[in-house]
Amino acid sequence: MKKIDHIAIQVNNIKESVAWYHDNYDCTILHSDDTWAFLQFDNIKLALVTEDEHPYHIAFEVEEVVGKKHRDGSVSKYIEDPNGNKIELIKYE
């Protein structure tokens, strides 16, 4: 069974959006910079992304994936579902 790791939504302003989600939903800020933020809720993570840096998507944590290594040590690749929605397959090391 695959686990949904996070959902990524596009926002206009990362800093403003992080503050709004943190103030209204008391989430933990795992990472935040000018291009993306990663927020932890009790049951799921939420990525806030800018349109020119990252696609909006849903991410599934998988046991193995060949793809791009990220600064947090994870490895992932993007695929599309039959409707063109972006799916990220991600493995944490």
Side-chain angles (χ1 to χ4, degrees):
M1 176 183 239
K2 302 291 188 264
K3 173 184 161 189
I4 293 177
D5 182 69
H6 67 272
I7 307 266
I9 60 172
Q10 288 181 347
V11 298
N12 295 323
N13 183 300
I14 298 291
K15 189 174 190 175
E16 178 182 272
S17 297
V18 166
W20 189 86
Y21 279 98
H22 183 265
D23 292 349
N24 287 286
Y25 298 102
D26 195 30
C27 58
T28 301
I29 302 166
L30 300 175
H31 177 85
S32 182
D33 64 27
D34 291 337
T35 66
W36 75 286
F38 215 28
L39 309 176
Q40 177 71 57
F41 295 82
D42 287 342
N43 62 336
I44 196 166
K45 291 176 276 207
L46 176 66
L48 305 175
V49 301
T50 57
E51 182 177 11
D52 54 340
E53 292 289 329
H54 306 277
Y56 57 90
H57 60 273
I58 184 170
F60 292 93
E61 187 174 348
V62 295
E63 292 181 15
E64 293 297 324
V65 65
V66 175
K68 179 181 176 183
K69 187 163 187 159
H70 301 283
R71 56 189 153 196
D72 66 357
S74 65
V75 177
S76 74
K77 75 173 182 178
Y78 289 97
I79 61 173
E80 290 186 356
D81 74 6
N83 299 291
N85 296 301
K86 298 288 186 201
I87 308 291
E88 181 180 23
L89 304 176
I90 190 165
K91 178 181 188 282
Y92 293 96
E93 302 200 352

